[in-house]
Amino acid sequence: KVGSNASIQNSVVSNGCVIEGTVINSVLSPGVRVGKGSVIKDSVILNNAIISTDVMIDRCILDKRVAVGRGAHIGVGDDFTPNQEKPDLLQSGITVIEKGALIPSESTIGRNCRIFRTAPHDFKRVPSGSTLR
């Protein structure tokens, strides 16, 4: 389902997705929901992820059942510090979010980050190159 104000450019969107925001150069698996005002760019979003309203996701891989709260920004900034734990794998600006993770509203996550399953109160700001368990 594509909302009247939604925009999809150069992307693959699977059956069962609900898009109310903007999707650019990305791949969305079945059951993904993108809220109004949200922008997904250069990313891969796996099954049943929920992207709330006014979210910005850039160069990210979100695993299954990730929930992103309103106003969150993931993969932002010009800081390309390699990931501290896996610098050989995460050095090009890609941020990876583990299956079932909950990203709190209004949080900011930099580039080359690894976010494992967390509770919403665990963080608001994650600098580039960090791993959050």
Side-chain angles (χ1 to χ4, degrees), residues 12-26:
V12 176
V13 178
S14 299
N15 287 335
C17 290
V18 177
I19 311 299
E20 296 183 276
T22 301
V23 180
I24 303 167
N25 300 328
S26 297

Side-chain angles (χ1 to χ4, degrees), residues 45-133:
I45 314 294
L46 297 179
N47 302 50
N48 301 313
I50 306 295
I51 313 301
S52 191
T53 57
D54 300 318
V55 170
M56 169 61 95
I57 297 176
D58 185 25
R59 297 186 71 181
C60 295
I61 300 171
L62 275 61
D63 205 344
K64 299 173 184 174
R65 297 184 313 277
V66 168
V68 181
R70 173 190 43 77
H73 291 105
I74 306 173
V76 297
D78 295 328
D79 181 0
F80 283 80
T81 302
N83 184 268
Q84 296 168 355
E85 291 184 1
K86 298 283 186 183
D88 53 327
L89 296 176
L90 293 174
Q91 59 184 323
S92 63
I94 296 173
T95 291
V96 180
I97 311 291
E98 183 197 54
K99 180 177 10 178
L102 303 173
I103 307 302
S105 295
E106 307 298 330
S107 59
T108 302
I109 300 172
R111 298 189 184 277
N112 296 318
C113 292
R114 296 171 67 207
I115 307 297
F116 291 86
R117 192 175 298 205
T118 59
H121 63 277
D122 286 347
F123 63 92
K124 280 292 185 181
R125 171 128 176 55
V126 179
S128 292
S130 298
T131 297
L132 185 61
R133 296 185 186 276

Side-chain angles (χ1 to χ4, degrees), residues 2-19:
V2 179
S4 59
N5 294 323
S7 173
I8 301 172
Q9 302 170 22
N10 198 33
S11 298
V12 176
V13 178
S14 299
N15 287 335
C17 290
V18 177
I19 311 299

